Amino acid sequence: MSRPRRRIAAASAAVAAAAVCCLPATASAAPGAGQATGRAPGPGTSFYVDLDSKALHQAAADLRAGDPRNALAMAKLGSYPVARWFNGTATPQETTAAMARLQSEAARQRQTPVVVAYNVPGRDCSQYSAGGASNSTEYAAWVDGLARGIGDRRTVVILEPDGLALSPAYCGGTAQQQADRLAEINGAVDRLARQPRAAVYLDAGHSAWQSTGTMADLLVRGGVERAQGFFLNVSNYQRDADLVRYGTQIAKCTWYLTHTPGAVADDCANQYWPQADADSWYTAHVPADAKLPHFVVDSSRNGQGPWAPTATYPDPQTWCNPPGRGLGTRPTADTGTPLLDAFLWVKVPGESDGSCTRGTTGGTDPEYGAADPAAGAWWPAQAHALAAAASPALTFNLPAGTHR
């Protein structure tokens, strides 16, 4: 037994009895079982479960601290697949090696990894997750390193969260910076698409942000027609139903914009229209058999939906470590919705969104009475809270038909 597996067994035996023996959920399946024949994840896809995750380390820490309830919750959390983020902190060569190691781990478990490419120049508009490559040339070299590490393995690639929805044009940037961003995303799509089994998804924000037409236009300009599709709700909290409706509108609007002479973004019905009116508009303007881009949804923290603050703040930052949220729909490619390829846990549940102050002074988050951890830092209290408020209630990720 490998060291990570021994850690799981040791940490979980006292709190989960025999349940942990079945991790990862489908590791014993035959090679390729249930996999789609194309690039997209298909029904039955088994996504990669990290057997050395922060959640499982937290389970062990909670157990040592005499907290079996939270240890059990973290063992359950750690049984689910979560995306692996590549944020440009390594050289292209190191990135290739790190990706290749992930691919080897996933292959041993007969699973498909979900990876996040997060290194575009000027990412996050210099906010909590500021950083990225220093220029377009450096970024292209890094993407090439990432792609080389993927090789011919089936991989879901979440390309640059906020890369389009929060592109320079929407945070005070110049026209040249916007043109550079679109060129960078297009270049990344083309390079990653050279990997024969990489399914690439582009940023489309979420349903409470950019209008449908604005987002569809950005996707068209970013090269979505050469990708598998787009992703929604990464690191956010919008509800599944709103996201599926928004994603379906975006997919249809991209068709309209690329097939209708003279069409502009504002033509498309958007998520703020009455639903019946919007549905009627798309029925009239987009053929029922139109070939549309697909999408995936990050449901890692939306089980309780978006946060509505009960206090008044200069800037409530509803996206930043909102209290009372919960894990959402479990990762799966069995969605029952033709355009929705998968629910995924892209944001790592338990990692902070940043040191939120909600527009107040003093450096603390008034919702918690203390300073939040830096963006991406593990926050045990938040991981425990997300697990406790999960909807549906958190169980172990076990094969179908196994008692939980």
Side-chain angles (χ1 to χ4, degrees), residues 212-303:
T212 299
T214 296
M215 200 65 252
D217 184 61
L218 284 166
L219 285 167
V220 170
R221 294 174 186 273
V224 73
E225 289 185 288
R226 305 189 310 282
Q228 172 65 21
F230 54 92
F231 60 84
L232 297 169
N233 204 48
V234 167
S235 299
N236 212 273
Y237 304 84
Q238 306 306 311
R239 293 189 181 278
D240 290 347
D242 294 332
L243 295 163
V244 171
R245 177 187 173 215
Y246 181 58
T248 302
Q249 286 187 354
I250 288 175
K252 291 179 177 180
C253 185
T254 63
W255 187 95
Y256 175 81
L257 292 176
T258 55
H259 290 81
T260 307
V264 296
D266 286 345
D267 291 344
C268 289
N270 64 51
Q271 72 271 37
Y272 303 112
W273 284 32
Q275 185 166 351
D277 292 348
D279 291 347
S280 295
W281 189 93
Y282 284 107
T283 298
H285 291 87
V286 179
D289 61 352
K291 184 178 180 180
L292 305 175
H294 287 208
F295 60 95
V296 295
V297 164
D298 181 3
S299 57
S300 60
R301 304 185 300 176
N302 71 346

Side-chain angles (χ1 to χ4, degrees), residues 24 41 69 139 150 158 164 173-174 182 192 212 217 222 225 248 260 263 293 296 342 360 371 390 396:
R69 181 179 62 84
Y139 181 64
I150 290 172
I158 304 299
L164 292 175
T174 66
L182 294 173
L192 290 162
T212 299
D217 184 61
E225 289 185 288
T248 302
T260 307
V296 295
T360 62
F396 277 102

Side-chain angles (χ1 to χ4, degrees), residues 1-403:
M1 182 183 289
S2 67
R3 182 174 300 172
R5 287 179 185 271
R6 283 197 297 269
R7 182 179 297 115
I8 294 173
S12 304
V15 295
V20 180
C21 72
C22 299
L23 293 177
T26 56
S28 60
Q35 299 293 316
T37 56
R39 291 177 179 244
T45 296
S46 175
F47 295 113
Y48 171 71
V49 177
D50 184 359
L51 300 180
D52 194 29
S53 67
K54 293 177 180 178
L56 292 173
H57 281 274
Q58 187 63 50
D62 289 337
L63 199 59
R64 289 193 300 270
D67 185 356
R69 181 179 62 84
N70 276 324
L72 176 60
M74 293 298 96
K76 290 176 180 178
L77 174 58
S79 72
Y80 286 91
V82 178
R84 178 75 59 87
W85 289 62
F86 289 78
N87 58 14
T89 56
T91 66
Q93 295 77 16
E94 292 168 337
T95 298
T96 299
M99 177 63 78
R101 287 193 297 273
L102 172 60
Q103 295 294 339
S104 294
E105 293 168 8
R108 282 195 297 271
Q109 295 173 201
R110 296 168 183 164
Q111 294 177 329
T112 298
V114 178
V115 303
V116 181
Y118 192 52
N119 191 36
V120 75
R123 73 180 185 208
D124 200 34
C125 281
S126 300
Q127 298 184 100
Y128 292 131
S129 296
S134 59
N135 55 56
S136 298
T137 300
E138 182 181 300
Y139 181 64
W142 180 80
V143 171
D144 181 68
L146 197 75
R148 290 176 183 275
I150 290 172
D152 64 356
R153 301 286 191 181
R154 188 181 302 281
T155 307
V156 173
V157 182
I158 304 299
L159 181 60
E160 299 299 342
D162 293 339
L164 292 175
L166 195 61
S167 50
Y170 300 93
C171 63
T174 66
Q176 184 59 55
Q177 287 172 326
Q178 182 69 7
D180 289 346
R181 172 64 58 83
L182 294 173
E184 289 154 0
I185 298 297
N186 273 276
V189 169
D190 289 338
R191 176 61 189 90
L192 290 162
R194 286 163 50 189
Q195 307 315 121
R197 297 204 292 171
V200 181
Y201 296 87
L202 277 61
D203 171 50
H206 59 74
S207 54
W209 194 358
Q210 302 285 13
S211 72
T212 299
T214 296
M215 200 65 252
D217 184 61
L218 284 166
L219 285 167
V220 170
R221 294 174 186 273
V224 73
E225 289 185 288
R226 305 189 310 282
Q228 172 65 21
F230 54 92
F231 60 84
L232 297 169
N233 204 48
V234 167
S235 299
N236 212 273
Y237 304 84
Q238 306 306 311
R239 293 189 181 278
D240 290 347
D242 294 332
L243 295 163
V244 171
R245 177 187 173 215
Y246 181 58
T248 302
Q249 286 187 354
I250 288 175
K252 291 179 177 180
C253 185
T254 63
W255 187 95
Y256 175 81
L257 292 176
T258 55
H259 290 81
T260 307
V264 296
D266 286 345
D267 291 344
C268 289
N270 64 51
Q271 72 271 37
Y272 303 112
W273 284 32
Q275 185 166 351
D277 292 348
D279 291 347
S280 295
W281 189 93
Y282 284 107
T283 298
H285 291 87
V286 179
D289 61 352
K291 184 178 180 180
L292 305 175
H294 287 208
F295 60 95
V296 295
V297 164
D298 181 3
S299 57
S300 60
R301 304 185 300 176
N302 71 346
Q304 299 297 329
W307 176 50
T310 56
T312 300
Y313 298 115
D315 178 4
Q317 296 180 302
T318 57
W319 55 270
C320 193
N321 297 329
R325 302 308 92 195
L327 304 169
T329 300
R330 309 301 181 253
T332 180
D334 301 299
T335 70
T337 300
L339 291 180
L340 178 59
D341 285 345
F343 289 103
L344 303 171
W345 285 3
V346 180
K347 172 69 176 183
V348 179
E351 288 189 358
S352 174
D353 292 319
S355 300
C356 325
T357 62
R358 314 199 187 279
T360 62
T361 59
T364 62
D365 185 339
E367 281 295 316
Y368 299 100
D372 299 349
W378 180 252
W379 191 358
Q382 186 185 79
H384 293 153
L386 289 169
S391 180
L394 188 58
T395 59
F396 277 102
N397 178 29
L398 301 177
T402 301
H403 292 294

